[in-house]
Amino acid sequence: MPPTALPLTADADANASDAELAARAAQGDTQAFARIMRRHNQLLFRTARSILHSDADTEDALQDAYLRAWRAIGGFRDEAKLSTWLVRIVINEALGRLRRRGAQVIPLDGGATAGDDDDAPDTQLADDPDRQPERLAMREDLRRLMERRIDRLPDAYRTVFVLRAVQELSVGETAEALQLPEATVRLRFFRARSLLRESLSRDIDLATGDAFAFDGARCDRIVARVLAALP
């Protein structure tokens, strides 16, 4: 069915549930799909960014993930959360990009051996004089430092930390999105936080909410690119 934009007001879209928007998108309503993108852009960008480490690569992955979601949304069932369904799509897209360029990929749903060893080296977070900026009081500098430190977390910890601490998903939501046991999510989050605290101490709590900011211009760009690419 060709995509159509049904004539509903912006207010109606804003108040519609995810399930309602998904049902309309499945009928070809691009306006509903645009609202879905704007509602979940930040969550999905942060998730993909935790895997790809690059803003440009993440934007490309997010666009392709949305196109996959558009083609598959007719199969979405509202007993699941739309956000979790979208997170799985963007994770698969990001990991697929890593595999296609030959990067080593540690499955996010791997067992307890995937980076969970108590004796795992923490040298990845050791101070790097070439990358460590001078400590400043300004929040913007601290945010940038926080993003770099998150990028250097072990693979098994990084996406868990982004979903739990940056995006503030619950343990249950994170476990469902990553298909991990809740106990594993708690363990990985605790260890990731401990590694970061060693480097950032008290400043971590000030910067967490600002990490990987998703501004209005980027959100508009993603939505416009996806809508233009819809068949």
Side-chain angles (χ1 to χ4, degrees), residues 139-152:
R139 188 180 182 92
E140 179 66 14
D141 289 340
L142 183 57
R143 178 184 66 82
R144 290 172 181 170
L145 175 60
M146 182 67 170
E147 290 178 353
R148 281 193 290 271
R149 295 293 181 172
I150 292 173
D151 278 345
R152 293 161 69 183

Side-chain angles (χ1 to χ4, degrees), residues 47-204:
T47 301
R49 177 63 172 72
S50 74
I51 296 169
L52 294 171
H53 296 220
S54 161
D55 286 3
D57 288 348
T58 298
E59 287 195 28
D60 290 343
L62 189 53
Q63 176 179 335
D64 288 349
Y66 275 133
L67 292 174
R68 289 176 183 272
W70 170 262
R71 291 191 292 267
I73 201 164
F76 171 73
R77 297 294 177 263
D78 59 12
E79 61 264 20
K81 288 189 66 174
L82 182 63
S83 59
T84 301
W85 185 76
L86 292 170
V87 163
R88 290 304 310 170
I89 291 175
V90 80
I91 286 175
N92 288 336
E93 176 63 32
L95 292 177
R97 284 171 176 266
L98 289 184
R99 293 188 185 97
R100 287 194 293 275
R101 65 191 189 205
Q104 182 179 9
V105 177
I106 298 178
L108 298 178
D109 58 352
T113 59
D116 293 333
D117 189 350
D118 280 328
D119 297 324
D122 59 3
T123 55
Q124 296 175 69
L125 290 181
D127 288 340
D128 182 346
D130 294 329
R131 296 186 62 181
Q132 170 101 31
E134 182 182 355
R135 288 183 64 90
L136 300 172
M138 295 178 63
R139 188 180 182 92
E140 179 66 14
D141 289 340
L142 183 57
R143 178 184 66 82
R144 290 172 181 170
L145 175 60
M146 182 67 170
E147 290 178 353
R148 281 193 290 271
R149 295 293 181 172
I150 292 173
D151 278 345
R152 293 161 69 183
L153 283 170
D155 291 345
Y157 301 159
R158 190 169 51 253
T159 300
V160 169
F161 182 84
V162 169
L163 293 181
R164 286 283 293 116
V166 181
Q167 194 57 38
E168 298 183 341
L169 267 62
S170 69
V171 171
E173 290 169 335
T174 303
E176 183 179 358
L178 301 181
Q179 297 183 350
L180 289 169
E182 290 189 8
T184 302
V185 169
R186 292 189 182 94
L187 177 62
R188 293 185 183 183
F189 177 63
F190 174 80
R191 290 178 176 167
R193 196 172 178 87
S194 296
L195 287 174
L196 288 168
R197 280 192 179 280
E198 290 175 5
S199 184
L200 298 174
S201 188
R202 302 181 191 87
D203 296 336
I204 187 174

Side-chain angles (χ1 to χ4, degrees), residues 4-49:
T4 59
L6 302 185
L8 291 182
T9 67
D11 287 343
D13 280 350
N15 295 327
S17 69
D18 278 354
E20 292 168 340
L21 292 173
R24 286 169 45 199
Q27 296 175 356
D29 184 350
T30 57
Q31 179 180 323
F33 195 67
R35 173 60 62 180
I36 289 172
M37 287 190 283
R38 292 188 181 280
R39 186 173 290 178
H40 299 289
N41 258 339
Q42 180 161 276
L43 166 63
L44 301 184
F45 177 83
R46 285 170 164 175
T47 301
R49 177 63 172 72

